[in-house]
Short mmCIF file of all heavy atoms in Angstrom, two decimals:
data_model
loop_
_atom_site.label_atom_id
_atom_site.label_comp_id
_atom_site.label_asym_id
_atom_site.label_seq_id
_atom_site.Cartn_x
_atom_site.Cartn_y
_atom_site.Cartn_z
N HIS A 20 -5.20 82.29 -39.30
CA HIS A 20 -4.98 82.12 -40.74
C HIS A 20 -6.22 82.52 -41.55
O HIS A 20 -7.26 81.89 -41.42
CB HIS A 20 -4.64 80.64 -41.01
CG HIS A 20 -4.27 80.35 -42.42
ND1 HIS A 20 -4.90 79.38 -43.16
CD2 HIS A 20 -3.32 80.90 -43.21
CE1 HIS A 20 -4.35 79.33 -44.37
NE2 HIS A 20 -3.38 80.24 -44.42
N ARG A 21 -6.09 83.56 -42.33
CA ARG A 21 -7.21 84.16 -43.10
C ARG A 21 -8.33 84.60 -42.13
O ARG A 21 -9.52 84.46 -42.43
CB ARG A 21 -7.77 83.19 -44.15
CG ARG A 21 -6.72 82.52 -45.01
CD ARG A 21 -7.35 81.61 -46.07
NE ARG A 21 -6.35 80.72 -46.66
CZ ARG A 21 -6.61 79.72 -47.46
NH1 ARG A 21 -7.86 79.48 -47.82
NH2 ARG A 21 -5.66 78.94 -47.94
N GLU A 47 -3.61 86.83 -40.06
CA GLU A 47 -3.10 86.74 -41.44
C GLU A 47 -4.25 86.95 -42.41
O GLU A 47 -5.33 86.42 -42.21
CB GLU A 47 -2.47 85.37 -41.66
CG GLU A 47 -1.69 85.24 -42.96
CD GLU A 47 -2.36 84.49 -44.09
OE1 GLU A 47 -3.54 84.07 -43.96
OE2 GLU A 47 -1.74 84.31 -45.14
N ASP A 49 -4.95 87.53 -46.93
CA ASP A 49 -4.38 87.48 -48.29
C ASP A 49 -4.82 88.73 -49.03
O ASP A 49 -6.00 89.10 -48.93
CB ASP A 49 -4.88 86.24 -49.02
CG ASP A 49 -4.52 84.98 -48.29
OD1 ASP A 49 -3.34 84.66 -48.20
OD2 ASP A 49 -5.44 84.29 -47.77
N HIS A 62 -8.18 85.32 -51.38
CA HIS A 62 -7.19 84.28 -51.50
C HIS A 62 -7.05 83.72 -52.91
O HIS A 62 -5.94 83.65 -53.47
CB HIS A 62 -7.52 83.13 -50.54
CG HIS A 62 -6.50 82.02 -50.60
ND1 HIS A 62 -6.57 80.98 -51.50
CD2 HIS A 62 -5.35 81.83 -49.90
CE1 HIS A 62 -5.53 80.18 -51.35
NE2 HIS A 62 -4.76 80.67 -50.39
N GLU A 122 -0.37 88.68 -46.50
CA GLU A 122 0.24 87.86 -47.56
C GLU A 122 -0.09 88.47 -48.91
O GLU A 122 -1.26 88.53 -49.31
CB GLU A 122 -0.22 86.41 -47.50
CG GLU A 122 0.59 85.64 -48.56
CD GLU A 122 0.10 84.23 -48.86
OE1 GLU A 122 -0.58 83.61 -48.04
OE2 GLU A 122 0.39 83.79 -49.98
N LYS A 124 -0.45 88.12 -52.54
CA LYS A 124 -0.58 87.04 -53.53
C LYS A 124 0.19 87.42 -54.80
O LYS A 124 0.34 88.62 -55.09
CB LYS A 124 -2.07 86.81 -53.83
CG LYS A 124 -2.79 86.06 -52.69
CD LYS A 124 -2.19 84.67 -52.54
CE LYS A 124 -2.77 83.85 -51.42
NZ LYS A 124 -1.94 82.68 -51.09
N PHE A 157 4.72 84.15 -51.35
CA PHE A 157 5.40 83.11 -52.11
C PHE A 157 6.16 83.77 -53.26
O PHE A 157 7.04 83.19 -53.85
CB PHE A 157 4.38 82.13 -52.75
CG PHE A 157 3.72 81.21 -51.76
CD1 PHE A 157 2.43 81.43 -51.32
CD2 PHE A 157 4.37 80.05 -51.32
CE1 PHE A 157 1.79 80.56 -50.45
CE2 PHE A 157 3.74 79.16 -50.45
CZ PHE A 157 2.45 79.43 -50.02
N ILE A 177 7.74 83.07 -47.87
CA ILE A 177 7.07 81.78 -47.69
C ILE A 177 7.77 80.78 -48.62
O ILE A 177 8.03 81.09 -49.80
CB ILE A 177 5.57 81.85 -48.03
CG1 ILE A 177 4.89 83.00 -47.27
CG2 ILE A 177 4.88 80.53 -47.69
CD1 ILE A 177 3.40 83.17 -47.60
N VAL A 199 8.67 81.39 -43.58
CA VAL A 199 7.40 80.69 -43.29
C VAL A 199 7.35 79.43 -44.17
O VAL A 199 7.70 79.49 -45.35
CB VAL A 199 6.18 81.60 -43.63
CG1 VAL A 199 4.88 80.84 -43.47
CG2 VAL A 199 6.19 82.83 -42.73
N TYR A 223 2.56 77.01 -41.12
CA TYR A 223 1.12 76.93 -41.41
C TYR A 223 0.78 75.53 -41.87
O TYR A 223 1.70 74.88 -42.40
CB TYR A 223 0.71 77.98 -42.45
CG TYR A 223 1.23 77.70 -43.84
CD1 TYR A 223 0.46 77.03 -44.80
CD2 TYR A 223 2.54 78.07 -44.22
CE1 TYR A 223 0.94 76.76 -46.07
CE2 TYR A 223 3.01 77.81 -45.48
CZ TYR A 223 2.22 77.16 -46.39
OH TYR A 223 2.69 76.89 -47.66
N VAL A 243 0.56 79.27 -37.22
CA VAL A 243 -0.55 79.82 -38.03
C VAL A 243 -1.67 78.79 -38.10
O VAL A 243 -1.44 77.66 -38.53
CB VAL A 243 -0.02 80.16 -39.46
CG1 VAL A 243 -1.12 80.83 -40.26
CG2 VAL A 243 1.22 81.03 -39.39
O1 G3P B 6 0.89 81.84 -43.95
C1 G3P B 6 1.08 81.19 -45.13
C2 G3P B 6 -0.16 80.69 -45.78
O2 G3P B 6 -1.20 81.60 -45.60
C3 G3P B 6 0.10 80.42 -47.20
O3 G3P B 6 -0.85 79.67 -47.83
O4 G3P B 6 -2.59 79.32 -49.48
O5 G3P B 6 -3.21 79.76 -47.15
O6 G3P B 6 -2.34 81.56 -48.55
P1 G3P B 6 -2.31 80.13 -48.24
#
Side-chain angles (χ1 to χ4, degrees):
H20 186 235
R21 312 182 194 171
E47 190 256 5
D49 301 293
H62 181 273
E122 186 192 336
K124 285 296 178 195
F157 287 102
I177 309 178
V199 175
Y223 69 96
V243 185

